[in-house]
Amino acid sequence: RTISITGCSASSGSVTLTLAANTATDAAGNAAAAPATSAAFSVSNGLPVFTSLDLVGAAADGYLNAAEKTADTNIATLSATGFSTAQYLIVASTADCSAQTYSNSTLPKSNHADFTDGNKKICVKLYNSAGGAVYGASSALVVDTSAPLMPTVTIVSGADESLSASENPASVTISGENNGAYALTCVSNCTVVSGATGALSASGSATAVIQETEGTVEVSVTVRDTAGNQSGAGSDTATADFTAPTFTSLTLQSPVT
């Protein structure tokens, strides 16, 4: 038999309905000798509210590089209310979160297999206790695990690859991936005057200046891309010699004819 209940108000959550003993009657008014019974059910007065799925930690800058990809770290934080279950999915940044199939109940970490190179985002599906669902997503996350190419480094010393006193200080030219951030280190017999760090131009070039001391001068340069991947080190050497030759004499040998 179906009965209607009135005057019952409940917010979202669990509600228990109890039928007192010996209160059930049939249409003729006969009372059933029955013990008290009860049933529990869920009441949902609204869908979950999604606020944000923020990228944090290694992903806070919007990039995930090779080193960050291999780490096992949390990269997202969910802010939402009114949900009982959350499921997550990594998709392309242009994908529709509501058109996906969800199965993962744990926020993906940085080393998740679905974080392949490209533009990604994390989708979330939030359920209330009655099964109603809403969707949300993080901002776009660029996954880039490829290191930049090793830069080409040249100490400007002329064709002889030697540095004279007139070539002190000397320029160092750097060529690499455009817009990458470079760092120059003096390995031996020099100090950096200017341009120890900086950004390569749109054409992929930069110039630094070093002060040398006599001997083998060596410089080394690495480049980082926007995601933070670092290249191998490019280097160059030149010989600095600031001592002019010493003329002692020019002796004529006898006999002179």
Side-chain angles (χ1 to χ4, degrees), residues 195-222:
T197 60
L200 298 176
S201 68
S203 63
S205 64
T207 301
V209 177
I210 60 171
Q211 188 86 36
E212 315 106 65
T213 57
E214 287 192 308
T216 300
V217 177
E218 182 178 0
V219 295
S220 175
V221 177
T222 57

Side-chain angles (χ1 to χ4, degrees), residues 2 27 36 42 52 59 62 69 111 133 145 159 173 193 207 210 213 230-231 254:
T2 300
S42 295
S52 65
K69 176 73 171 61
N111 60 349
T145 59
T173 60
V193 175
T207 301
I210 60 171
T213 57
Q230 181 172 298
S231 72
S254 296

Side-chain angles (χ1 to χ4, degrees), residues 49-53 78-80 87-89 91 95-98 102 121-126 133-139:
V49 177
F50 171 79
T51 301
S52 65
L53 186 56
L78 173 66
S79 178
Q87 291 185 324
Y88 303 92
L89 189 67
V91 298
D96 181 0
C97 290
S98 65
Y102 292 76
K121 68 181 177 183
I122 304 172
C123 291
V124 60
K125 185 176 183 179
L126 302 172
V134 297
Y135 299 87
S138 70
S139 56

Side-chain angles (χ1 to χ4, degrees), residues 148-154 172-182 198-207 221-224:
L149 297 175
M150 183 185 300
T152 300
V153 183
T154 303
V172 178
T173 60
I174 305 162
S175 178
E177 292 192 14
N178 58 342
N179 300 316
Y182 75 86
L200 298 176
S201 68
S203 63
S205 64
T207 301
V221 177
T222 57
V223 173
R224 287 186 182 273

